[in-house]
Amino acid sequence: MDARGSFVLAVLTLLSASATGGCSSVDLPAAQPGHRRLLQDTNLAARWMHIPVHPVAAHVPPSGSGSFPASSSQPRRNHPNEVAPPPAERSRHGRSELHYLSRSKRWLYWVVLPAVGLLLVTALACWLLPCRKSAVATIGPWKTGLSGQLQKAFVTGVPKLQLPELERACEDFSNIVASYPHYTVYKGTLSSGVEIAVVSTMITSSDEWSEHSESCFRKKIDSLSRMNHKNFINLLGFCEEEEPFTRMMVLEYAPNGTLYESLHDEDFEHIGWRGRMRIIMGLAYCIQHMHELNPPVAHPDLQSSSILLSEDGAAKIVDMSVWHEVISKGKPPANGETDRHHEQVSAALAENVYSFGVLLLEIISGKLPDPAHSLVSSALECINTGDRSMVCLLDPTLKDHKEDELAVIGKVIHACIQSDPRNRPSMREITARLREAIGISPVAATPRLSPLWWAELEVLSAAEAS
């Protein structure tokens, strides 16, 4: 007997036992034909399942309208006093047998099959859950600025932050890092311990904040939100309030001051040759990125005081020009001045190339560029000598410089400071030439331990909560 037959037979036997009220087959009274029919149904089901059944008719009295059939191997014999049931009763018996068989099959469909299905679903879920967990990647720092998930949130701009949040971060705006005629820089600390810079306009009244000021502020937010480069001080958020009047930008914080201070202030740590080459390549990669945006972005004031240094000495370009622009009387170009605007952008990109050449001079010489351009004139004179060497301008504190790298830098400087802007190379050409000689990749030129991801995550969470 297979497992299915045993199961069906056991179920039917239990049904028979419950129907007889717990009596054994030998105690069945002859006046209960329905009980015998139930045994008939059991035997019929057993035959349907191909289960051998031992004859039990001797235990059942032969009286009544029907008898329990013998085994299929023995011919059926009628009792002398037995009267064959009429056709209608036989038909009723047949329907009863089919009814019980149908109920048995339905019991299988309703109970057994759903139970098996539930077990299969549970097993599948137990198998898929570990696979799903193993497929989830840990979110880490990104290669080109923002992480994948945060990049989606920053596509349409940066979050607007509330003034009380910034007050708490900056200790009621008592932690002043620097103060200038047009803006003040505060140092703040988020609850995660990440440091930020909060830059605020010096304008304290809405009467002094014109439509032109608001337009400049909005355009700068849009421009800075598109930077997305690890060698740029990225914009994390902004704050605007009418009472009290507030216009602020929240930026990354660079703890090692400006490049100007590191090159010219004795209180700052000296930067060796390799560190300066890393700064040069970080600047080149970042400026090229800005120039190749659509539309391109030119830095309005590219000099050593606009370059901050990260904790590990990587260059971080910052743009604070908006705070001067909001008080200027300039006007944005009208619709009919589109061609003139494009010319201005092209001229600004060429001016960035010139400024980059001057920055190279300042970095390798350690000397301040002056308004009279005497440093540029000295560089041209040095380059135009027979051996085209830059050694005469080299910072005497640099003892570990490489002659081949210095020679390439001299050629790049010469190309960048051409008087005719049309003769100056593009930043893509400059970057390719410098990388070939210096060999510092974009990844090596960026900060290795940037807290930007954590700062953005907390700022974004605070903005969503408000």
Side-chain angles (χ1 to χ4, degrees), residues 111-127:
V111 178
V112 177
L113 293 181
V116 172
L118 182 61
L119 289 175
L120 289 176
V121 171
T122 304
L124 184 62
C126 294
W127 177 72

Side-chain angles (χ1 to χ4, degrees), residues 282-294:
L283 295 175
Y285 291 131
C286 186
I287 298 171
Q288 178 189 341
H289 171 78
M290 295 170 63
H291 286 194
E292 294 180 353
L293 289 173
N294 187 22

Side-chain angles (χ1 to χ4, degrees), residues 319-394:
D319 181 4
M320 295 291 187
S321 61
V322 64
W323 308 113
H324 175 74
E325 293 171 2
V326 296
I327 63 171
S328 66
K329 302 300 182 180
K331 296 182 180 180
N335 294 334
E337 299 178 351
T338 304
D339 293 339
R340 182 170 175 269
H341 176 66
H342 287 322
E343 292 177 0
Q344 291 176 341
V345 172
S346 299
L349 299 180
E351 185 64 25
N352 274 184
V353 173
Y354 182 90
S355 298
F356 180 74
V358 176
L359 268 173
L360 292 182
L361 267 175
E362 185 177 356
I363 291 172
I364 66 168
S365 68
K367 297 179 180 179
L368 279 170
D370 54 278
H373 301 289
S374 60
L375 181 62
V376 174
S377 301
S378 300
L380 290 174
E381 181 181 349
C382 193
I383 292 171
N384 290 330
T385 58
D387 56 358
R388 302 179 63 86
S389 174
M390 292 289 295
V391 177
C392 59
L393 287 177
L394 187 65

Side-chain angles (χ1 to χ4, degrees), residues 291 349-350 353-354 411-412 414-418 420-430 433:
H291 286 194
L349 299 180
V353 173
Y354 182 90
K411 294 178 181 178
V412 170
H414 183 265
C416 290
I417 60 177
Q418 292 293 312
D420 188 348
R422 294 172 296 182
N423 295 332
R424 298 169 192 166
S426 68
M427 284 305 303
R428 173 174 287 273
E429 296 170 330
I430 294 170
R433 195 165 187 180

